[in-house]
Amino acid sequence: MVKQQMDPFYASVKKYFDGAAKHSGLHDGLLAQIWHCNAIYKIYFPITIGKDYKIIEAYRVQHSHHRTPSKGGIRFSNHVNQEEVMALATLMSFKCAVVDVPFGGAKGGIKINPWELSEEAKEKVTRRYTHELIKRDFIGPAIDVPAPDYGTGPKEMAWIYDTYRTFKGDDINAAGCVTGKPVSLYGIKGRTEATGRGVFYGIRELLEQEKDMQAIGLEPGLEGKSIVIQGLGNVGTHTATICQDEGGAKIIGISEVEGAIYNPDGIDIHKLLKHRKETGTILTFSGAKKKFKKKDRRKVMEFECDILIPAALENQITKDNAKNVKAKIIAEAANGPVTADAEKILLKKGIIVLPDFYLNAGGVTVSYFEWLKNLQHVRFGRMDKRFNERTYKGLVDLVEKNTGKTITKKQKEFLTKGGDEIDLVRSGLEETMIASFHQIRAIQKRKRSVKDLRTAAFVSAIQKMGSDYMQMGIFP
Ligand code: GLU
């Protein structure tokens, strides 16, 4: 019998999992349950485009049901295949567990090129896919909740929501069947920037660790650090913008489908984004000192910098180019950008890798807030904002009166502001990323055999999932 080859991405996730599982102290049977994808749904359905029929291949994989609903995005890409979706669904379980988002993991994939298909065709595909999920009970606020991923965004989520409520009109929580919806249609402020913002919080926290920075020869703090980013999609764009504007970091290299640019003195990300919007390319940007054509764009991985942020797709740093990486830190904003074989080489070189399923968990974290908002049917801050403002103002007035000193209008505004939805979302996200970083770091410090952050993050997630199963009486 011919042994089928596992997809390299799925094989890499398995290698990572197996490497970490032995440090978890859990029973092999329990580990097998944690590893396997619980439900895999593969469908083919037709859509008509003009006078033609197109058969669409699509998937929804629910990796784990230790907590429900299961959660994860839907990807539109020509490269979608079953094992890729399985790998991504698996990462979602660990992602949710590591940041204490109380969901199982899932992922969807539709094999289409979203940039070639018309809006009309995409809407047909999305609605039909949603209908197929409804028929099989594969979607619902208590069952499985999709979200955006590569090639999808708020528009597709609105179509999913509308299709769902058409069939499930009596479900009062219907809006919670999908997250990443437009803000005006039961979405939440801060969801679009969430993954990039979470990446920023994660990187900033690592850079605050004095001893860790000393070990790789960096001064603590993000301010002034040089960053190279691969990919200017939703995640890359927000990561770059927030790291520059709020972290004071210097973006010195960027790659996109058309090529790559480099300037050690810094590239203003706002100017570059404007230029690309107007001209369709980064290659003609005047702020670039070195330019690399489309075929050489992977060279971005080898640029000299403090922090390299792959923010595009999986399998970008492999054993072939890992030895040429010059960054001191690799911050995985994408899912699976570094293969297991490549990571071994990077770790040997003393490079710190911030693992994907921790670092890019900001998206699902804010999805969780959106789902909570949908279930509670009220926006965060609506009930308490004015009450808090009045209380804080009363306190400030009292202090002013008793001390005989006054503060400026600006200081007063800052001290008495009640939290709006966006403030609370950002605060919740910041807390999540910082708390999880320290949970992971504590495992790395406590277990001498656990050398790197990815293994520690896996151990953290595996132990939490294992504990859920055990408490439910499975595998006593
Ligand atoms: N697609 C995103 C991810 O890979 C978000 C998932 C979600 O919000 O459910 O984490």
Side-chain angles (χ1 to χ4, degrees):
M1 207 171 74
V2 189
K3 207 172 165 240
Q4 263 210 321
Q5 275 246 298
M6 209 187 237
D7 169 78
F9 179 27
Y10 194 41
S12 179
V13 176
K14 175 131 181 63
K15 252 192 205 172
Y16 282 138
F17 175 83
D18 289 343
K22 53 179 186 280
H23 302 283
S24 69
L26 297 185
H27 188 284
D28 281 351
L30 182 46
L31 288 170
Q33 167 59 25
I34 292 172
W35 166 253
H36 283 289
C37 288
N38 291 176
I40 300 167
Y41 185 32
K42 177 177 185 180
I43 24 173
Y44 291 95
F45 56 80
I47 58 154
T48 48
I49 299 182
K51 284 191 179 135
D52 266 350
Y53 289 97
K54 196 171 161 61
I55 304 302
I56 309 289
E57 178 183 329
Y59 302 87
R60 184 72 184 172
V61 173
Q62 294 169 356
H63 172 260
S64 62
H65 296 135
H66 68 296
R67 299 222 167 181
T68 44
S70 44
K71 189 87 190 77
I74 296 179
R75 174 172 290 205
F76 284 2
S77 150
N78 253 346
H79 302 288
V80 161
N81 64 69
Q82 183 172 321
E83 285 194 334
E84 183 200 50
V85 186
M86 287 165 74
L88 291 163
T90 308
L91 284 177
M92 282 310 302
S93 293
F94 301 122
K95 192 179 297 190
C96 291
V98 92
V99 290
D100 292 315
V101 163
F103 295 145
K107 201 79 164 201
I110 305 186
K111 195 171 160 59
I112 52 168
N113 182 341
W115 291 278
E116 266 175 10
L117 238 51
S118 69
E119 283 291 288
E120 201 189 334
K122 266 198 286 188
E123 181 172 351
K124 270 189 193 169
V125 168
T126 310
R127 287 187 184 275
R128 176 67 188 251
Y129 174 75
T130 310
H131 189 200
E132 297 291 339
L133 297 183
I134 296 169
K135 280 200 299 195
R136 295 279 172 151
D137 261 344
F138 252 69
I139 183 171
I143 300 170
D144 187 358
V145 182
D149 197 78
Y150 184 83
T152 57
K155 203 183 334 162
E156 287 76 14
M157 303 307 117
W159 292 330
I160 293 175
Y161 162 63
D162 184 52
T163 310
Y164 183 82
R165 70 167 191 152
T166 306
F167 287 93
K168 304 270 181 180
D170 60 345
D171 184 351
I172 193 162
N173 293 320
C177 79
V178 62
T179 59
K181 302 177 291 294
V183 177
S184 53
L185 191 75
Y186 302 103
I188 196 166
K189 288 197 179 132
R191 175 62 185 83
T192 310
E193 64 165 25
T195 310
R197 179 166 285 280
V199 170
F200 161 66
Y201 290 140
I203 294 175
R204 191 188 62 184
E205 201 52 26
L206 170 68
L207 275 129
E208 291 300 323
Q209 312 308 307
E210 265 177 55
K211 277 202 183 133
D212 295 353
M213 291 306 103
Q214 225 173 32
I216 55 171
L218 283 183
E219 287 292 318
L222 185 54
E223 178 91 41
K225 296 292 180 306
S226 58
I227 290 185
V228 166
I229 295 209
Q230 182 203 31
L232 285 178
N234 175 46
V235 180
T237 302
H238 286 104
T239 302
T241 310
I242 300 172
C243 283
Q244 176 186 292
D245 294 352
E246 294 180 35
K250 197 162 74 169
I251 313 295
I252 61 164
I254 288 166
S255 82
E256 245 302 332
V257 279
E258 64 271 21
I261 57 171
Y262 184 71
N263 182 352
D265 302 328
I267 295 164
D268 184 273
I269 188 71
H270 297 287
K271 287 191 185 146
L272 178 73
L273 289 171
K274 189 166 170 274
H275 178 84
R276 186 165 193 257
K277 209 171 168 194
E278 285 164 5
T279 64
T281 175
I282 55 173
L283 291 177
T284 49
F285 184 59
S286 60
K289 285 219 168 128
K290 276 192 200 157
K291 296 177 184 182
F292 298 80
K293 291 199 185 105
K294 189 177 172 130
K295 68 171 181 29
D296 298 323
R297 66 189 190 279
R298 286 275 290 275
K299 279 264 175 275
V300 74
M301 299 302 180
E302 300 169 21
F303 287 178
E304 197 98 40
C305 64
D306 296 323
I307 308 162
L308 172 63
I309 310 182
L313 287 170
E314 58 261 23
N315 298 340
Q316 297 302 308
I317 303 179
T318 63
K319 59 180 186 332
D320 300 326
N321 60 357
K323 55 185 180 304
N324 302 329
V325 171
K326 293 178 195 71
K328 299 202 161 77
I329 296 167
I330 295 181
E332 294 184 331
N335 289 313
V338 175
T339 67
D341 295 337
E343 193 184 52
K344 274 194 203 129
I345 301 170
L346 299 173
L347 294 176
K348 254 197 210 131
K349 283 165 69 113
I351 295 172
I352 299 180
V353 182
L354 271 169
D356 51 3
F357 65 98
Y358 157 69
L359 194 66
N360 69 30
V364 76
T365 301
V366 176
S367 275
Y368 168 46
F369 301 156
E370 180 177 333
W371 180 80
L372 289 174
K373 175 186 180 180
N374 296 149
L375 297 199
Q376 72 197 14
H377 299 269
V378 62
R379 140 177 87 73
F380 292 106
R382 180 165 174 178
M383 306 301 284
D384 47 5
K385 180 182 166 188
R386 302 284 161 178
F387 177 81
N388 287 339
E389 277 182 3
R390 254 193 299 280
T391 312
Y392 304 150
K393 189 168 175 304
L395 278 171
V396 171
D397 286 348
L398 205 67
V399 173
E400 280 189 332
K401 200 170 147 222
N402 287 347
T403 58
K405 287 182 183 152
T406 53
I407 54 174
T408 64
K409 200 170 161 227
K410 222 173 163 193
Q411 283 170 327
K412 205 174 218 174
E413 263 167 24
F414 176 74
L415 287 174
T416 60
K417 186 177 171 352
D420 263 325
E421 183 169 89
I422 186 69
D423 304 313
L424 298 171
V425 162
R426 285 179 179 164
S427 153
L429 175 58
E430 186 174 9
E431 164 58 16
T432 303
M433 295 307 293
I434 294 176
S436 303
F437 177 85
H438 290 286
Q439 279 181 19
I440 298 168
R441 201 65 191 83
I443 290 182
Q444 198 191 10
K445 280 185 186 152
R446 202 170 57 235
K447 284 188 182 274
R448 288 180 138 258
S449 55
V450 173
K451 301 265 188 290
D452 58 288
L453 288 170
R454 189 186 320 269
T455 308
F458 262 113
V459 171
S460 168
I462 292 171
Q463 284 180 337
K464 287 180 195 173
M465 290 174 70
S467 149
D468 277 2
Y469 280 120
M470 285 192 282
Q471 287 182 71
M472 290 186 290
I474 307 167
F475 301 103

